[in-house]
Amino acid sequence: MAMEQTADPPDIAAGRLPGEAYRENFADIDPPLDRKAALVEANRCLFCYDAPCIEACPTGIDIPGFIRQIASDNVEGAGLRILEANIFGGVCARVCPTEILCERACVRVAQEGKPIEIGQLQRYAVDPILGSGVHPFTRARPSGKRVAVVGGGPAGLSCAHRLALLGHEVTVIEARERLGGLNEYGVAEYKVAEHFARAEVDFVLGIGGIGVKTATRLGRDVTLSQLRRDFDAVFLGMGLAGVNALDCEGEALEGVFDAIDYIATLRQAEDFAILPVGRRIVVIGGGNTAVDIAVQTKRLGAEDVTLVYRRGEEAMSATAHERHFAQVNGVKIKHWARPLKITGSDGAVREAVFEYTRLDGGRLIGTGERFALKADMVFKAIGQRFVADPLEDGTRELLELEKGRITVDDERRTSLAKVWAGGDCIAGGEDLTVRAVEDGKRAAQSIHRTLMT
Ligand SMILES: Cc1cc2nc3c(=O)[nH]c(=O)nc-3n(C[C@H](O)[C@H](O)[C@H](O)COP(=O)(O)OP(=O)(O)OC[C@H]3O[C@@H](n4cnc5c(N)ncnc54)[C@H](O)[C@@H]3O)c2cc1C
Ligand code: SF4
């Protein structure tokens, strides 16, 4: 293939910023409320009867109930109320897109144009309990039942915690070195700064009764058939291990990255100054991951970051809040364009070439008009998919899938006896942390009912 030549060599370098700038750029974006601010905010709540915010919370937290406790200075009571419904109340307070969940439903939006800051109040109530180092819940008497949980992300650990609380012995099997799933390897650093995800995992495990096997992969080190034989029940919370390909020329060039991989490296870095980042970045995609990689590369010192999405703004899965966040961070967003090819020289990326798109009777088509963006790095962020390979031990055929993900019923039971599933790997989910936590909790309750009858 003839490579197109450009004048500038690729400019990818570490340490683009002065040392202290990294600390600032990756610090907590939403610092916690102090007591005075929390009391003022709590007193704005109308403590609605049939509160719509509860309905809008996937874990059904009693929101007016905990806000009332904050208003009467019973912060610990508020925190416990939250954690009873959602053991990951700490991370959810930080990462939930509240603008499309509880806060969107808040009646104060219609009245004052501004919801109660439910996420911030939740954080105010939960953080002291996590910080105390004492686990607040006590396990039920041992049931004598053993459950395997595959995947140590929010779905798996939520399930493990609830099962342990109910008296069962749990073994978590996790492929990576650390537990936490995307809380540890995916979510933007400034949402869960200062290793919050690790502290929260320790807190969750503090219930006791949960054994952990990290660096252990289903499909390689153990099979589902073995787990079904050796345990009374199995929960699959494996997330989405595959990333979608662009299927365009130049995808294999050096300098073309899966956003997910780069973010995982960033999240594990002890020093952000050592991460090489391009001067000109092009991101392809329109969701959470696209926004996160765009903003984080900008905050690592990239000069020019452009996010390109093939449809209009309203079709992006990144929320309006996230899109605004990207723009105030200096990310340019271009709509209605799809990648045609990525060109380079000496094996390295130089340019990404796009074609404008439009809708033709509901179908997305190229207009034939092209433009090119100079790039030192191109990030692919066009979605992830469930990889069923770990189930190739004969169980895959018995496990029903729907649009490539595991089919479950309301209780998160799969089509395979003794096997439940939840989180991103199941069909019909919303790919949100809070949804994964609820799935894990529901599955645990269903497993408990099944094992105890
Ligand atoms: C970049 C990014 C940013 C995001 N930001 C947000 C956000 O701000 N707010 C929000 O609500 N949601 C966000 N999400 C979505 C959210 O992180 C997920 O919905 C949530 O983590 C799903 O939880 P899970 O437990 O199902 O899967 P995961 O968190 O993916 O955990 C799955 C676990 O299973 C392990 N595993 C996989 N295969 C195997 C195997 N074969 N054997 C053993 N273990 C295995 C994995 O290593 C992993 O630890 C983001 C997602 C991404 C990718
Ligand atoms: S909807 Fe808003 S005002 Fe009503 S209980 Fe929920 S947080 Fe309070």
Side-chain angles (χ1 to χ4, degrees), residues 22-44:
Y22 293 98
R23 244 194 326 279
E24 254 173 54
N25 288 354
F26 289 94
D28 203 335
I29 39 166
D30 237 347
L33 300 178
D34 60 20
R35 177 172 174 274
K36 193 167 154 222
L39 286 174
V40 170
E41 195 57 21
N43 280 301
R44 287 183 60 228

Side-chain angles (χ1 to χ4, degrees), residues 409-425:
D409 65 10
D410 266 6
E411 296 193 15
R412 310 300 184 257
R413 283 180 297 219
T414 71
S415 55
L416 190 57
K418 290 175 78 174
V419 180
W420 282 253
D424 288 359
C425 68

Side-chain angles (χ1 to χ4, degrees), residues 54-66:
I54 303 181
E55 193 66 30
C57 171
T59 54
I61 293 172
D62 175 3
I63 293 168
F66 90 73

Side-chain angles (χ1 to χ4, degrees), residues 117-453:
E117 287 186 44
I118 299 168
Q120 278 286 37
L121 287 174
Q122 177 163 315
R123 178 170 174 179
Y124 174 76
V126 167
D127 276 9
I129 299 180
L130 264 68
S132 73
V134 180
H135 194 84
F137 303 119
T138 311
R139 297 182 65 198
R141 282 193 307 117
S143 67
K145 304 289 183 188
R146 298 171 64 243
V147 183
V149 167
V150 181
L157 292 181
S158 161
C159 183
H161 181 272
R162 185 62 56 145
L163 287 166
L165 185 74
L166 294 166
H168 309 297
E169 284 298 315
V170 185
T171 301
V172 176
I173 292 156
E174 167 56 50
R176 295 212 192 232
E177 294 296 324
R178 287 184 192 284
L179 294 177
L182 289 169
N183 290 353
E184 173 64 32
Y185 290 96
V187 170
E189 171 68 24
Y190 36 73
K191 291 188 185 173
V192 284
E194 292 161 25
H195 295 312
F196 176 78
R198 292 181 199 173
E200 192 174 45
V201 165
D202 291 344
F203 164 76
V204 170
L205 296 181
I207 183 84
I210 304 176
V212 174
K213 290 186 180 174
T214 49
T216 306
R217 182 177 288 276
L218 184 75
R220 183 191 64 195
D221 306 308
V222 63
T223 66
L224 185 53
S225 306
Q226 285 168 335
L227 296 180
R228 288 176 76 220
R229 190 189 60 216
D230 298 345
F231 291 84
D232 297 295
V234 182
F235 175 79
L236 300 176
M238 296 142 72
L240 304 173
V243 286
N244 294 334
L246 286 178
D247 287 331
C248 82
E249 190 183 315
E251 195 170 355
L253 284 168
E254 210 177 291
V256 181
F257 298 87
D258 283 324
I260 286 282
D261 293 344
Y262 190 89
I263 292 172
T265 306
L266 185 151
R267 288 295 316 278
Q268 297 306 299
E270 290 301 328
D271 177 7
F272 299 126
I274 64 164
L275 294 169
V277 67
R279 190 158 68 82
R280 293 158 305 191
I281 306 279
V282 170
V283 176
I284 301 168
N288 254 342
T289 308
V291 166
D292 285 0
I293 189 69
V295 172
Q296 287 178 111
T297 50
K298 195 82 178 70
R299 288 182 173 217
L300 282 173
E303 193 180 294
D304 185 37
V305 180
T306 308
L307 188 157
V308 184
Y309 179 56
R310 65 197 167 123
R311 292 175 185 269
E313 188 175 55
E314 63 298 333
M316 287 177 81
S317 61
T319 63
H321 176 80
E322 285 163 341
R323 299 196 301 265
H324 174 73
F325 183 65
Q327 279 160 335
V328 297
N329 274 274
V331 173
K332 283 176 256 166
I333 303 184
K334 272 183 96 70
H335 295 284
W336 298 109
R338 65 184 181 194
L340 279 184
K341 62 178 174 175
I342 301 166
T343 63
S345 59
D346 302 328
V349 166
R350 294 301 170 91
E351 250 180 17
V353 180
F354 293 86
E355 179 185 28
Y356 284 108
T357 53
R358 66 176 173 82
L359 285 177
D360 179 32
R363 209 167 57 89
L364 193 73
I365 57 163
T367 65
E369 200 188 340
R370 295 177 175 201
F371 67 93
L373 294 173
K374 288 212 163 34
D376 303 301
M377 283 172 138
V378 173
F379 286 100
K380 298 182 282 179
I382 53 166
Q384 294 165 266
R385 61 192 159 75
F386 174 61
V387 178
D389 300 2
L391 307 168
E392 294 303 340
D393 62 332
T395 47
R396 162 69 194 86
E397 290 69 34
L398 305 170
L399 202 61
E400 206 176 294
L401 300 188
E402 195 183 317
K403 293 189 182 155
R405 301 198 196 187
I406 302 170
T407 308
V408 292
D409 65 10
D410 266 6
E411 296 193 15
R412 310 300 184 257
R413 283 180 297 219
T414 71
S415 55
L416 190 57
K418 290 175 78 174
V419 180
W420 282 253
D424 288 359
C425 68
I426 64 168
E430 286 152 301
D431 295 356
L432 293 176
T433 306
V434 65
R435 171 52 62 193
V437 173
E438 177 64 11
D439 287 341
K441 184 177 91 183
R442 276 204 206 177
Q445 284 158 343
S446 174
I447 292 170
H448 177 68
R449 276 193 299 275
T450 306
L451 297 185
M452 303 314 279
T453 49

